[in-house]
């Protein structure tokens, strides 16, 4: 007996500002439709397995998505966009192409999958970052269709064995990952929206530094630490890139967060990118007293932490903007 094809939706909730409580209410709305909900709190999205819900609600995928979007808007005033496809990867890619208020549906036939994937640029394939895409372009590989047509052995020579296998499978639409229901992990987020699409890398770096400093101060005031940092960069064409890195140790120390945030940004390999917004999320928060700190013989580390504590005391008394690292403030012209 053959199993019915999967139907997966990636839905993005376009929150006006970070709001953990509202996001959890929206997840509860999804769980009222189907128990197969996997949250992605880094960008206020979720993967939803609609396979069983379609028959239960007696609707097609686009109709059920319309019900969900209408409820989110009517009950919580939150606009959303979604992508629907036969796998998590295709649903996520379809959602990335959907402007707020719309849904993109990709059929589950091999023709539908190929027609959706092949024309897209190589960098749109999950796992192919800007740097890898530029490397592939030097060999005449510009689109996902080009990747699909490249022999596996050739891809593996160009980008590595594991990455080549992954790119080969995904370019043909193969993605067996299941939607795994789970609770949204506790996290904290800060976002910077540029007044206009920003091209200046210095402004990008300054925004990242300001965001991690804000998160560090917030966590220290709440006596908590985070285990990982997620960076999301949103571009002028409505696409976005998200990267996550686990910290060497749970911390709320701003310099450590800044090193990780800047390393994540550098890993994107952006060159003259038109950036609309940058957000940084502190993931897997836990009480500070449960974390351990590796002692160091470097006196600079102790002085930095003492200075950080003094800045926190000044901010608590006079306001957040009274003090902070100079690199996170706008330079005077």
């Amino acid at each position: 007996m053959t199993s019915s094809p999967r139907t997966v939706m990636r839905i993005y909730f376009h929150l006006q500002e970070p709001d953990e409580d509202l996001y959890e209410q929206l997840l509860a709305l999804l769980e009222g439709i189907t128990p197969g909900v996997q949250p992605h709190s880094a960008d206020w999205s979720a993967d939803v397995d609609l396979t069983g819900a379609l028959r239960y609600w007696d609707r097609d995928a686009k109709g059920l998505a319309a019900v969900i979007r209408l409820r989110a808007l009517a009950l919580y005033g939150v606009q959303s966009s979604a992508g629907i496809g036969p796998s998590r990867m295709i649903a996520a890619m379809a959602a990335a192409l959907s402007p707020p208020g719309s849904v993109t549906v990709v059929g589950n036939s091999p023709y539908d999958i190929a027609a959706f994937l092949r024309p897209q640029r190589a960098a749109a394939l999950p796992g192919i970052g800007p740097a890898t895409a530029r490397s592939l372009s030097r060999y005449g590989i510009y689109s996902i269709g080009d990747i699909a047509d490249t022999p596996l052995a050739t891809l593996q020579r160009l980008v590595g064995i594991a990455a080549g296998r992954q790119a080969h499978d995904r370019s043909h639409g193969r993605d067996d990952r299941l939607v795994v229901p789970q609770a949204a992990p506790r996290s904290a987020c800060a976002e910077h929206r540029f007044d206009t699409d920003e091209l200046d890398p210095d402004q990008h770096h300054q925004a990242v530094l300001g965001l991690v400093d804000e998160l560090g101060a917030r966590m220290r005031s709440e006596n908590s630490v985070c285990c990982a940092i997620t960076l999301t960069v949103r571009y002028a064409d409505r696409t976005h890139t998200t990267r996550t890195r686990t910290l060497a140790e749970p911390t709320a120390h701003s310099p450590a967060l800044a090193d990780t945030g800047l390393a994540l940004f550098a890993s994107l390999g952006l060159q003259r990118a038109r950036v609309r917004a940058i957000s940084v999320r502190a993931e897997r928060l836990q009480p500070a007293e449960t974390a351990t700190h590796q002692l160091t013989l470097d006196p600079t580390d102790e002085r930095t932490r003492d200075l950080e504590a003094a800045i926190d005391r000044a901010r608590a008394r006079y306001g957040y903007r009274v003090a902070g690292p100079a690199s996170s403030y706008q330079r005077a012209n």
Side-chain angles (χ1 to χ4, degrees), residues 136-148:
L136 290 174
S137 69
R138 292 197 289 268
Y139 297 93
I141 302 173
Y142 300 101
S143 68
I144 295 178
D146 293 335
I147 295 176

Side-chain angles (χ1 to χ4, degrees), residues 238-251:
R238 298 182 184 274
T239 62
H240 69 276
T241 307
T242 299
R243 293 287 186 273
T244 299
R245 182 168 298 180
T246 300
L247 298 165
E249 61 182 21
T251 186

Side-chain angles (χ1 to χ4, degrees), residues 55-77:
R55 185 172 182 180
Y56 180 84
W57 293 96
D58 192 25
R59 293 176 182 269
D60 62 13
K62 191 169 185 178
L64 191 52
V67 170
I68 293 170
R69 292 180 46 253
L70 181 60
R71 290 186 179 184
L73 187 60
L75 296 175
Y76 303 106

Side-chain angles (χ1 to χ4, degrees), residues 215-279:
L215 285 176
R218 191 190 310 175
M219 287 189 288
R220 294 191 297 274
S221 70
E222 298 173 353
N223 196 33
S224 62
V225 294
C226 68
C227 299
I229 288 291
T230 293
L231 174 77
T232 299
V233 179
R234 302 184 187 280
Y235 308 106
D237 62 358
R238 298 182 184 274
T239 62
H240 69 276
T241 307
T242 299
R243 293 287 186 273
T244 299
R245 182 168 298 180
T246 300
L247 298 165
E249 61 182 21
T251 186
H253 187 39
S254 289
L257 300 177
D259 289 344
T260 302
L262 290 176
L264 284 171
F265 191 85
S267 72
L268 301 181
L270 302 180
Q271 293 181 350
R272 301 290 293 171
R274 297 175 64 86
V275 175
R276 180 161 297 175
I278 297 175
S279 63

Side-chain angles (χ1 to χ4, degrees), residues 209-210 213-214 217 220 254 307-329:
L209 290 172
D213 181 62
E214 177 184 340
R220 294 191 297 274
S254 289
L307 176 60
E308 189 172 66
I311 291 174
D312 288 342
R313 290 192 295 270
R315 285 171 166 172
R317 184 169 183 178
Y318 300 108
Y320 176 77
R321 301 301 297 176
V322 71
S327 55
S328 67
Y329 287 83

Side-chain angles (χ1 to χ4, degrees), residues 167-213:
H168 182 266
D169 287 344
R170 290 182 173 179
S171 68
H172 287 87
R174 292 192 284 269
D175 176 23
D176 296 328
R177 295 174 301 157
L178 300 176
V179 175
V180 181
Q182 56 186 255
R186 185 167 174 249
S187 59
C189 182
E191 183 176 64
H192 178 86
R193 291 182 178 272
F194 295 102
D195 295 333
T196 59
D197 298 332
E198 184 59 65
L199 288 165
D200 186 357
D202 289 340
Q203 295 296 318
H204 301 161
H205 289 184
Q206 184 175 294
V208 173
L209 290 172
L211 292 171
V212 296
D213 181 62

